[in-house]
Amino acid sequence: MIASSELILNPDGSVYHLNLKPENIANDIIFVGDPDRVEKITQFFDSIEFSIQKREFKTQTGIFKGKRLTVLSTGIGPDNIDIVLNELDALVNIDLQTRQPKEQLTALNIIRIGTSGSIQADIPIDSFVLSQYGIGLDNMLRSYIIDAVTHTDIENAFIEQTNWDVNKGRPYAITCSETLEKRIESNKMFKGITATIGGFYGPQGRVLRLPIQDSKLNSKMDHFEFNGNRITNLEMETTAIYGLSALLGHNALSLNAIIANRASGTFSEDPNKAVDKLIAYTLDKLAE
């Protein structure tokens, strides 16, 4: 039995942070970062059966072209992903009455629709990136036993090629769900490795008033290569999603609309339009 201090439930029986009960979510779930982006997706639904928000976690479940979908905002960063993935898994794989894991486990399909900055000059603003791999520079997943799902060869190559300072922790590399990749991919997508970073300013090489540990890290990542794969973009959630999903038995895929190009120093003139196009593309793929 899982103690109440470990799996915290609200008085109505919902999970603590998300305020959800098992019947409130679909098997196919779209993650967004911004709560305001939830309705940018569900506005296309035929109907909405459930809606709730607690803190930055907003959830709506409804029907799109006959398919039941959930859209959930995670907020920013791998720490929030730790909350969201564990509580979603509890909804489907733990009996909340007995506090016992279920014998028959459910695999959720989780697709992140996000925004990101490209670090490659040939991946232009307003394009789409599908993350075949994530490499996490944030340490969150290392609180778990992860050797069965990580790619040590990619991690070692990254450490060597970027002269990574291990005082910042060992990077972890995780692959996407092959099932979801095949379901969503097309020639409209760039593919590669997404670097997940636990901060927006110094950790991503931005300098305002504070000096950073490695001012050349971004250029090193630009040139990183492993078996023909390169780092395409930087963001703050993908590898955490891939890692926890792999450990818990769920399928995960991360898609990003590129709204900035760090190599050229450019930013999208209409980032909302780029995101809207990625939303429409993803919904149509899920409904097929």
Side-chain angles (χ1 to χ4, degrees), residues 20-94:
L20 297 172
K21 297 179 180 179
E23 62 268 23
N24 299 146
I25 63 169
N27 196 67
D28 291 332
I29 301 175
I30 296 172
F31 281 179
V32 294
D34 185 353
D36 291 340
R37 196 173 291 156
V38 171
E39 291 184 359
K40 288 176 69 70
I41 297 177
T42 60
Q43 66 177 321
F44 300 108
F45 283 17
D46 305 314
S47 61
I48 296 173
E49 67 183 64
F50 176 80
S51 182
I52 198 166
Q53 181 170 1
K54 184 177 181 181
R55 304 184 189 183
E56 62 265 56
F57 308 114
K58 181 173 183 175
T59 306
Q60 290 191 332
T61 297
I63 304 296
F64 175 77
K65 294 185 178 179
K67 187 168 189 63
R68 190 169 185 251
L69 299 171
T70 291
V71 184
L72 189 158
S73 62
T74 65
I76 298 173
D79 51 342
N80 275 19
I81 298 303
D82 184 59
I83 290 171
V84 171
L85 254 299
N86 276 290
E87 292 194 4
L88 284 177
D89 181 75
L91 289 173
V92 295
N93 289 324
I94 296 174

Side-chain angles (χ1 to χ4, degrees), residues 29-260:
I29 301 175
I30 296 172
F31 281 179
V32 294
D34 185 353
D36 291 340
R37 196 173 291 156
V38 171
E39 291 184 359
K40 288 176 69 70
I41 297 177
T42 60
Q43 66 177 321
F44 300 108
F45 283 17
D46 305 314
S47 61
I48 296 173
E49 67 183 64
F50 176 80
S51 182
I52 198 166
Q53 181 170 1
K54 184 177 181 181
R55 304 184 189 183
E56 62 265 56
F57 308 114
K58 181 173 183 175
T59 306
Q60 290 191 332
T61 297
I63 304 296
F64 175 77
K65 294 185 178 179
K67 187 168 189 63
R68 190 169 185 251
L69 299 171
T70 291
V71 184
L72 189 158
S73 62
T74 65
I76 298 173
D79 51 342
N80 275 19
I81 298 303
D82 184 59
I83 290 171
V84 171
L85 254 299
N86 276 290
E87 292 194 4
L88 284 177
D89 181 75
L91 289 173
V92 295
N93 289 324
I94 296 174
D95 186 318
L96 301 184
Q97 300 296 320
T98 66
R99 294 180 170 273
Q100 299 282 2
K102 296 179 180 178
E103 292 185 9
Q104 190 74 27
L105 299 179
T106 296
L108 298 171
N109 296 315
I110 297 165
I111 296 180
R112 177 181 185 266
I113 297 178
T115 56
S116 183
S118 167
I119 63 171
Q120 302 292 343
D122 64 332
I123 299 180
I125 53 175
D126 302 327
S127 61
F128 302 155
V129 165
L130 182 156
S131 306
Q132 285 184 302
Y133 293 91
I135 185 159
L137 309 180
D138 57 275
N139 290 327
M140 185 279 289
L141 204 70
R142 295 240 170 243
S143 294
Y144 300 93
I145 300 170
I146 64 173
D147 289 351
V149 300
T150 56
H151 293 264
T152 305
D153 48 357
I154 298 177
E155 297 164 7
N156 290 337
F158 180 87
I159 291 168
E160 179 181 353
Q161 292 182 38
T162 64
N163 194 27
W164 178 257
D165 184 350
V166 293
N167 287 322
K168 295 193 291 188
R170 180 180 172 86
Y172 58 95
I174 315 279
T175 189
C176 72
S177 161
E178 185 178 347
T179 300
L180 287 182
E181 179 185 4
K182 290 179 178 178
R183 185 173 171 184
I184 300 297
E185 68 182 353
S186 76
N187 57 12
K188 295 182 179 180
M189 293 279 175
F190 289 89
K191 292 184 179 182
I193 302 171
T194 292
T196 296
I197 302 175
F200 183 77
Y201 289 97
Q204 291 192 32
R206 292 182 172 92
V207 177
L208 302 184
R209 290 203 314 115
L210 296 175
I212 58 176
Q213 181 270 330
D214 186 352
S215 61
K216 297 181 179 179
L217 180 60
N218 279 14
S219 62
K220 294 175 186 175
M221 289 195 290
D222 291 351
H223 296 94
F224 173 77
E225 189 275 336
F226 182 83
N227 288 350
N229 292 303
R230 59 181 181 160
I231 295 177
T232 51
N233 59 311
L234 311 179
E235 50 77 89
M236 298 178 65
E237 292 85 26
T238 290
T239 318
I241 294 170
Y242 284 6
L244 284 172
S245 295
L247 290 171
L248 292 166
H250 304 299
N251 301 305
L253 185 68
S254 180
L255 309 174
N256 277 280
I258 298 300
I259 62 171

